[in-house]
Amino acid sequence: MKKLINSVDTVLAESLAGFTAAHADIVAADPEGRFVRRAAVTPGKVALISGGGSGHEPLHAGFVGRGMLDAACPGQVFTSPTPDQMIAAAEAVESGAGVLFIVKNYEGDVMNFDMAREMLDRPVATVLTNDDVAVETSSYSTGRRGVAGTMIVEKIVGAAAEEGRDLAALQALGERVNGRTRSMGVALTSCTVPAAGKPTFALGEGEMEMGVGIHGEPGRRRVPLASADAIAAEMVEAVLGDLADQASGDALLLINGFGGTPLMELYLMYDAVRRRLNGRGVTVARSVVGSYVTSLDMAGCSVTLSMLDPETVALWDAPVHTAALRWGA
Amino acid sequence: MKKLINSVDTVLAESLAGFTAAHADIVAADPEGRFVRRAAVTPGKVALISGGGSGHEPLHAGFVGRGMLDAACPGQVFTSPTPDQMIAAAEAVESGAGVLFIVKNYEGDVMNFDMAREMLDRPVATVLTNDDVAVETSSYSTGRRGVAGTMIVEKIVGAAAEEGRDLAALQALGERVNGRTRSMGVALTSCTVPAAGKPTFALGEGEMEMGVGIHGEPGRRRVPLASADAIAAEMVEAVLGDLADQASGDALLLINGFGGTPLMELYLMYDAVRRRLNGRGVTVARSVVGSYVTSLDMAGCSVTLSMLDPETVALWDAPVHTAALRWGA
């Protein structure tokens, strides 16, 4: 295992210490390391909290800040945070309007956020994200997995929260955005969890995992490495097919790198996906290309299409000031 | 070789097509693919043009936009662009105040930008960047290599150009920033140039290349893989030692990933570098952590310290709107 680390036991703490120091103008750390929060709370605004296993950076801590999340709870690598982390985060940033949990659909996360919700003596609602069309259930989830589309839900709902919308409205908006968002990924290499010290799965030199999850969990099938155009075609067809009648009009296209893929290849994939979308009734109105929802050092990428309407495109365009997404502020 | 590509001959063209389509609000492509330029020229402003071999994305095209570059000329992977690319770019974006070339110190780039300058019938000045303290000469350069510090020169000089400063003043500013900026890198794996199809160099499972260049060219020495703290210590001492008397007061600290390194490790390195800087008279006043000056899929990172003063910190903070750096706009 080749990683820039000191010891497998301190990876998360040291990485978080670096993150909060580098972005001290935006975020503050809980002294006990249970969550990362905005440096300043906006009174009366619904508090948006997300979290999940670490190893997907910049998700979620990189999306804490004005216009997006109020706090994020990092678990150990690929391991759900615990309910006490979520409770502590909620108590730190909730200011009278309630808490919205944005939770990727993995069993551990769902269970622990549910437990925190039950234990909190405050209004709490949850949005579950499950945008991955690759598989219906997996080793980590019952039902579809929440992957890169989660970032889009966090951005759009975050902007709406800044406008002062109430908890029920934000929950409904989050569910609407999730319902119009579909993703699929491909891995060219495995990731390596620091504590494991070896690759999570074995891929032959000429193989790829089509439909891979963001923990390196299996996708649809293992196939010979194909061209960017062939990969784009399979992913676009899977996503469009699943969107079905919704696949019409303006969309946000996100090409997301998994951590070990250079930007040059992500832009090439963007080009391949865009060409494949030509003449299919979908207009790419907004584009994001980069590594936002990663799987440690895995090489590969995912394609996300999120259908937009005038309301959601305005919320997407609204100012955001986080470590990983920043504009208009 | 596992890459998301269609063919080695079309990697650059397809990646550029994706880049310019994804950022059509910021940049426009030359129809012949010779350069990427701002969508809109600011009349009377000195035109800032950079460029170099591709494979270092987002450098340089990702830094084209308001507050930074006016155009960037992408060569083939790790190969200098040609003088006709620079001439075409200059003719497209120069608007009466002259052209400043910002050139990383590699022999091919220096020669070709010099040739373009001689052939252009317009005022042209050049800033050479050579921030890499690892080696004094290399397989690609006479004298020190220009690496991640180039981004800082482009940002600060770009902000000054927006203020309407003249060509001589911008050249002097660029040389001043470069003179206060030092970098050093480390590779944990080689990069793989698409046309070569195999790793540029061989590193054993337990080895790293200390002082590596951004083309995978040799650094100071090949040594056993060390801890993040030990790597940070060697890089910080090399950078501080070379800055010598300048290493005092406010600095910008850039932890730059080489393309195959996840953000989690980069933040951990930021933490390690910051701890090492404690008590050394340098205050980290600005921080950047991410993959900005890359080497295709190489795993590893570089550390850059750029000493700031009230003028340069204000220019760093000034609005920028490019694909890869954006704030205040």
Side-chain angles (χ1 to χ4, degrees):
Chain A
M1 174 175 63
K2 284 186 148 179
K3 290 186 186 291
L4 296 163
I5 62 174
N6 287 308
S7 97
V8 295
D9 298 327
T10 57
V11 168
L12 179 57
E14 292 174 44
S15 183
L16 274 176
F19 175 81
T20 51
H23 303 291
D25 54 328
I26 301 173
V27 299
D30 170 49
E32 296 175 45
R34 296 169 296 180
F35 57 85
V36 172
R37 54 167 286 182
R38 289 197 202 184
V41 165
T42 305
K45 187 185 83 66
V46 171
L48 264 54
I49 299 178
S50 191
S54 292
H56 306 301
E57 292 70 26
L59 184 86
H60 297 273
F63 302 137
V64 171
R66 195 148 38 92
M68 220 160 158
L69 299 177
D70 291 271
C73 302
Q76 290 296 317
V77 172
F78 294 173
T79 303
S80 174
T82 55
D84 68 289
Q85 293 182 261
M86 300 147 193
I87 291 166
E91 289 174 345
V93 299
E94 201 267 341
S95 63
V99 175
L100 184 67
F101 286 155
I102 300 178
V103 182
K104 303 192 299 302
N105 186 38
Y106 297 99
E107 281 173 4
D109 295 298
V110 171
M111 186 179 71
N112 288 341
F113 273 101
D114 272 354
M115 207 177 297
R117 186 179 56 186
E118 285 162 19
M119 293 168 74
L120 273 163
D121 187 23
R122 301 165 192 263
V124 182
T126 299
V127 171
L128 271 188
T129 65
N130 61 352
D131 51 308
D132 190 345
V133 303
V135 293
E136 287 302 320
T137 58
S138 78
S139 44
Y140 281 69
S141 69
T142 302
R144 291 183 174 190
R145 305 173 293 212
V147 291
T150 308
M151 172 175 100
I152 300 167
V153 173
E154 292 178 358
K155 169 67 185 80
I156 290 176
V157 176
E162 299 292 340
E163 291 182 349
R165 299 196 198 180
D166 69 20
L167 185 56
L170 294 174
Q171 182 187 30
L173 176 65
E175 287 174 352
R176 183 156 70 88
V177 174
N178 178 65
R180 297 182 181 186
T181 301
R182 299 290 191 283
S183 301
M184 190 154 127
V186 65
L188 305 193
T189 69
S190 175
C191 47
T192 296
V193 175
K198 59 183 178 47
T200 302
F201 59 103
L203 264 182
E205 183 50 42
E207 288 182 325
M208 62 181 186
E209 178 78 24
M210 180 58 76
V212 70
I214 58 172
H215 310 91
E217 68 269 39
R220 290 187 170 184
R221 57 193 212 288
R222 188 157 302 179
V223 287
L225 184 61
S227 69
D229 281 354
I231 293 169
E234 179 161 352
M235 297 207 281
V236 166
E237 295 313 319
V239 162
L240 286 183
D242 205 87
L243 280 167
D245 291 352
Q246 294 192 90
S248 171
D250 286 353
L252 188 162
L253 171 59
L254 163 63
I255 306 295
N256 173 62
F258 281 145
T261 297
L263 206 45
M264 190 181 213
E265 293 176 43
L266 298 182
Y267 280 117
L268 191 147
M269 280 300 297
Y270 176 90
D271 179 62
V273 167
R274 206 179 152 94
R275 280 187 281 106
R276 184 77 190 188
L277 284 171
N278 255 344
R280 302 297 291 275
V282 171
T283 303
V284 178
R286 294 294 182 273
S287 302
V288 184
V289 181
S291 294
Y292 292 100
V293 180
T294 62
S295 307
L296 296 166
D297 53 348
M298 192 157 83
C301 73
S302 60
V303 169
T304 300
L305 266 186
S306 181
M307 304 313 299
L308 297 169
D309 57 40
E311 181 193 9
T312 54
V313 78
L315 292 167
W316 175 262
D317 289 345
V320 62
H321 187 174
T322 68
L325 278 190
R326 185 170 173 185
W327 55 73
Chain B
M1 174 175 65
K2 283 187 150 178
K3 291 185 187 289
L4 296 163
I5 63 174
N6 287 308
S7 96
V8 295
D9 298 329
T10 57
V11 169
L12 179 57
E14 291 172 46
S15 182
L16 273 176
F19 175 81
T20 52
H23 304 291
D25 53 328
I26 300 174
V27 300
D30 169 50
E32 296 175 44
R34 297 168 295 180
F35 57 86
V36 172
R37 54 166 286 182
R38 287 196 203 185
V41 165
T42 307
K45 188 185 83 68
V46 171
L48 263 55
I49 299 177
S50 191
S54 293
H56 306 301
E57 292 70 26
L59 183 86
H60 296 274
F63 302 137
V64 171
R66 195 150 35 93
M68 222 161 157
L69 299 177
D70 290 272
C73 303
Q76 290 296 317
V77 172
F78 294 174
T79 302
S80 174
T82 55
D84 68 289
Q85 292 181 261
M86 300 146 192
I87 291 167
E91 288 175 346
V93 299
E94 202 267 341
S95 63
V99 175
L100 184 67
F101 286 155
I102 299 177
V103 182
K104 301 192 301 302
N105 187 37
Y106 297 100
E107 281 174 4
D109 295 299
V110 172
M111 187 177 71
N112 288 342
F113 273 101
D114 273 352
M115 207 176 296
R117 184 177 60 185
E118 285 163 19
M119 293 168 75
L120 273 165
D121 188 22
R122 300 165 193 262
V124 182
T126 301
V127 171
L128 272 189
T129 63
N130 61 352
D131 51 308
D132 189 346
V133 304
V135 294
E136 286 302 321
T137 58
S138 78
S139 44
Y140 281 68
S141 70
T142 303
R144 292 182 175 191
R145 304 174 294 212
V147 291
T150 307
M151 173 176 97
I152 301 166
V153 173
E154 292 178 357
K155 170 66 185 83
I156 290 176
V157 176
E162 300 291 341
E163 292 183 348
R165 298 196 199 179
D166 70 19
L167 185 57
L170 294 174
Q171 182 187 30
L173 175 65
E175 288 176 349
R176 183 156 70 89
V177 174
N178 178 64
R180 296 180 181 187
T181 301
R182 299 288 190 284
S183 301
M184 191 153 124
V186 65
L188 304 193
T189 69
S190 174
C191 48
T192 296
V193 175
K198 59 182 177 51
T200 301
F201 61 102
L203 265 183
E205 184 47 44
E207 288 182 323
M208 63 181 185
E209 178 78 24
M210 180 58 75
V212 72
I214 58 172
H215 310 92
E217 67 269 39
R220 290 187 170 185
R221 57 195 212 288
R222 188 157 302 179
V223 288
L225 184 60
S227 69
D229 281 353
I231 293 169
E234 177 161 352
M235 298 207 281
V236 166
E237 295 312 318
V239 162
L240 287 182
D242 205 88
L243 280 167
D245 291 352
Q246 294 192 93
S248 172
D250 285 353
L252 188 162
L253 171 57
L254 164 62
I255 305 294
N256 173 62
F258 281 146
T261 296
L263 206 46
M264 189 180 215
E265 295 177 42
L266 298 181
Y267 279 117
L268 191 148
M269 280 299 298
Y270 175 90
D271 179 60
V273 167
R274 206 179 152 93
R275 281 187 279 107
R276 184 77 190 186
L277 284 170
N278 257 345
R280 302 298 291 275
V282 171
T283 303
V284 178
R286 295 292 181 276
S287 302
V288 185
V289 181
S291 294
Y292 292 101
V293 180
T294 61
S295 306
L296 296 166
D297 53 348
M298 191 158 84
C301 74
S302 59
V303 170
T304 300
L305 266 185
S306 182
M307 304 311 300
L308 297 169
D309 56 41
E311 181 193 8
T312 53
V313 78
L315 291 167
W316 175 263
D317 289 344
V320 62
H321 187 174
T322 68
L325 278 189
R326 184 168 174 187
W327 55 74

